[in-house]
Amino acid sequence: QKEVEQNSGPLSVPEGAIASLNCTYSDRGSQSFFWYRQYSGKSPELIMFIYSNGDKEDGRFTAQLNKASQYVSLLIRDSQPSDSATYLCAVNPSGGGNKLTFGTGTQLKVEL
Amino acid sequence: ETGVTQSPTHLIKTRGQQVTLRCSSQSGHNTVSWYQQALGQGPQFIFQYYREEENGRGNFPPRFSGLQFPNYSSELNVNALELDDSALYLCASSLAAGQGGSPLHFGNGTRLTVT
């Protein structure tokens, strides 16, 4: 079982729609969770992080965490073509220390 | 505020050679982590340095080694390069290696090609 699982996609959504990206993790003691955006050939860029169960909103982005289900998601409202990228879910495992475990990423395509 | 900078941006080496990659951490950040990202994969944790000491290591062989300097900059050294070492090498800095985990900020990476 992979430690952090993401659907590789591609996930295609029309411009203006809501994109929903999902991630599950196996380490129940994981403490903090991160979403990174990575454009082709570039390095990952931090979008959001979440520590507590529930929702956290930042502009068009909402991160959702459910520790009981070991599930974290990212919603992107009003999707734009510039949002087309690979989205990486990362988990800070039990013990912390920022030694993140990443999923393989979900490719998002926002179509005109 | 200066972000994380890495050098060089691209590098081509031959199998069996050695390589050194460099990273300057973001101002005020005392922890540096290195990740390897193969094509189509997520980044894989190599190791972390905190106050010039190795503070955790992923599943990488000893030919991957590192250093952190008093100014918190860091080096990643890879000996006896193999073809599978071809990847994007990412350096990330953060405030502290604490339990909560402060967000990692990545540099632009070094693209290593081993032929």
Side-chain angles (χ1 to χ4, degrees):
Chain A
Q1 181 189 9
K2 290 183 180 178
E3 295 179 55
V4 177
E5 291 205 49
Q6 296 181 256
N7 188 321
S8 62
L11 172 65
S12 293
V13 300
E15 184 178 6
I18 296 175
S20 177
L21 304 163
N22 305 315
C23 171
T24 59
Y25 59 94
S26 60
D27 182 351
R28 187 170 287 279
S30 297
Q31 301 181 10
S32 48
F33 308 85
F34 304 84
W35 283 100
Y36 286 84
R37 176 175 63 197
Q38 187 172 28
Y39 293 112
S40 181
K42 302 296 185 182
S43 67
E45 172 192 8
L46 180 69
I47 298 175
M48 292 194 68
F49 57 93
I50 186 167
Y51 299 151
S52 304
N53 276 329
D55 295 359
K56 179 181 178 182
E57 186 175 318
D58 183 0
R60 295 187 296 114
F61 300 96
T62 299
Q64 299 175 318
L65 175 61
N66 184 326
K67 289 187 178 179
S69 299
Q70 295 174 240
Y71 176 93
V72 59
S73 65
L74 178 71
L75 300 178
I76 306 174
R77 289 181 299 281
D78 189 23
S79 295
Q80 301 297 309
S82 59
D83 294 327
S84 297
T86 295
Y87 289 80
L88 296 162
C89 171
V91 174
N92 198 9
S94 51
N98 259 354
K99 304 170 182 76
L100 301 188
T101 300
F102 282 81
T104 56
T106 297
Q107 184 183 6
L108 173 65
K109 293 185 176 181
V110 180
E111 299 169 333
L112 295 170
Chain B
E1 182 179 80
T2 306
V4 178
T5 58
Q6 292 186 243
S7 62
T9 54
H10 294 84
L11 204 51
I12 300 174
K13 289 285 189 178
T14 302
R15 189 172 51 185
Q17 287 187 315
Q18 177 267 342
V19 68
T20 298
L21 310 182
R22 295 178 174 82
C23 172
S24 295
S25 63
Q26 183 169 326
S27 177
H29 285 184
N30 58 8
T31 302
V32 174
S33 303
W34 287 90
Y35 288 78
Q36 179 197 66
Q37 187 176 22
L39 200 61
Q41 301 297 314
Q44 298 289 313
F45 174 71
I46 303 175
F47 44 55
Q48 181 185 89
Y49 279 82
Y50 174 61
R51 292 184 176 178
E52 303 176 55
E53 297 282 334
E54 187 177 289
N55 183 45
R57 186 178 186 92
N59 189 25
F60 281 82
R63 60 189 185 83
F64 285 78
S65 63
L67 285 172
Q68 187 181 30
F69 300 99
N71 66 354
Y72 304 133
S73 66
S74 177
E75 287 183 355
L76 164 65
N77 299 289
V78 187
N79 294 322
L81 283 166
E82 300 177 359
L83 296 179
D84 285 349
D85 296 333
S86 296
L88 179 67
Y89 287 84
L90 297 162
C91 172
S93 71
S94 56
L95 275 174
Q99 290 295 315
S102 64
L104 293 184
H105 297 268
F106 287 98
N108 289 329
T110 295
R111 173 73 62 185
L112 173 65
T113 302
V114 182
T115 62

